[in-house]
Amino acid sequence: DAGVIQSPRHEVTEMGQEVTLRCKPISGHNSLFWYRQTMMRGLELLIYFNNNVPIDDSGMPEDRFSAKMPNASFSTLKIQPSEPRDSAVYFCASATGTSGINEQYFGPGTRLTVT
Amino acid sequence: AQSVAQPEDQVNVAEGNPLTVKCTYSVSGNPYLFWYVQYPNRGLQFLLKYITGDNLVKGSYGFEAEFNKSQTSFHLKKPSALVSDSALYFCAVRDPPSGGSYIPTFGRGTSLIVHP
């Protein structure tokens, strides 16, 4: 099992550019989470999908952020336009079930730097 | 509303000594509790969880945690620390009676440093 796959692993972009982060969850997992981690704010939940449907996007910082899950094996997190304060490590995680009883499996993360 | 606190930003321990990483929580019902570990430049990895049953839970890499309902705590422990245990540790809680929220809340993390 390859685990959760994220790409790219590193992204450096200039302010104002569009950034797209990608995630492939573990096969058979029906819950998917996007997180952002910074030193200042720690680990923040951005959005939660269940069976490809966004259930809770209250953590999405603003309209510049959007996320999609077109099918069970792929999700994207898009930032347009990007700003320096978006610099962080973005994690995707997946889990089985919908009750929150099962542990999450995290990908290796995408380190985003916006200059 | 569910919440979790990790009162120590950093814990220092000598190799071979026992270690404890503290976690306290606030929920309205019986919680689901989790510990995760994050090594440098890696994603979080699941260590152990408490759902119900025995208050002492054993997990990966020799770690264990004790659920204490009266003190609303779920401290992570290991009898003998290794230098390789040095990492960032996260506690998470899910409050089932919260109903619509299926999402655990994570603490801010505790950096464990094991000195040779």
Side-chain angles (χ1 to χ4, degrees):
Chain A
D1 189 344
V4 175
I5 299 172
Q6 292 187 247
S7 64
R9 292 295 309 277
H10 301 273
E11 178 80 34
V12 180
T13 191
E14 293 183 347
M15 182 174 61
Q17 296 298 306
E18 178 180 294
V19 175
T20 299
L21 311 182
R22 297 173 176 80
C23 174
K24 177 179 170 57
I26 293 173
S27 177
H29 285 194
N30 58 349
S31 291
L32 185 136
F33 308 82
W34 280 100
Y35 293 91
R36 177 171 68 177
Q37 185 178 35
T38 62
M39 289 292 291
M40 290 295 293
R41 296 183 174 176
L43 191 67
E44 302 174 274
L45 176 70
L46 299 177
I47 189 168
Y48 163 57
F49 289 89
N50 177 252
N51 291 323
N52 312 335
V53 176
I55 303 299
D56 186 341
D57 64 355
S58 59
M60 296 287 265
E62 47 199 276
D63 292 344
R64 296 185 298 107
F65 286 69
S66 62
K68 294 182 180 179
M69 193 165 186
N71 56 62
S73 60
F74 185 65
S75 178
T76 59
L77 178 68
K78 185 178 292 186
I79 308 173
Q80 166 63 20
S82 58
E83 298 183 1
R85 59 190 169 128
D86 301 330
S87 297
V89 181
Y90 291 80
F91 290 103
C92 175
S94 68
T96 57
T98 59
S99 64
I101 198 172
N102 296 317
E103 59 272 21
Q104 297 177 33
Y105 291 79
F106 284 73
T110 295
R111 183 175 296 275
L112 174 65
T113 303
V114 184
T115 61
Chain B
Q2 62 194 31
S3 66
V4 61
Q6 295 182 240
E8 301 157 317
D9 289 337
Q10 184 172 302
V11 170
N12 291 276
V13 65
E15 187 174 32
N17 283 1
L19 70 87
T20 299
V21 183
K22 296 180 180 178
C23 172
T24 59
Y25 64 88
S26 176
V27 297
S28 59
N30 294 317
Y32 300 155
L33 292 156
F34 304 81
W35 276 104
Y36 291 81
V37 60
Q38 183 181 28
Y39 298 102
N41 301 313
R42 303 283 293 276
L44 280 68
Q45 296 177 32
F46 170 72
L47 276 179
L48 51 81
K49 67 181 177 184
Y50 172 83
I51 303 300
T52 187
D54 194 346
N55 289 344
L56 184 64
V57 179
K58 295 188 182 296
S60 307
Y61 311 122
F63 284 93
E64 60 187 25
E66 185 168 11
F67 171 60
N68 188 317
K69 189 172 184 177
S70 63
Q71 296 186 6
T72 62
S73 67
F74 189 57
H75 300 332
L76 182 70
K77 300 182 179 183
K78 187 174 182 180
S80 179
L82 300 173
V83 173
S84 57
D85 293 330
S86 299
L88 191 57
Y89 290 81
F90 290 90
C91 182
V93 65
R94 153 95 162 96
D95 184 7
S98 293
S101 174
Y102 303 107
I103 308 166
T105 297
F106 282 81
R108 287 193 55 85
T110 298
S111 178
L112 173 67
I113 299 175
V114 182
H115 302 276

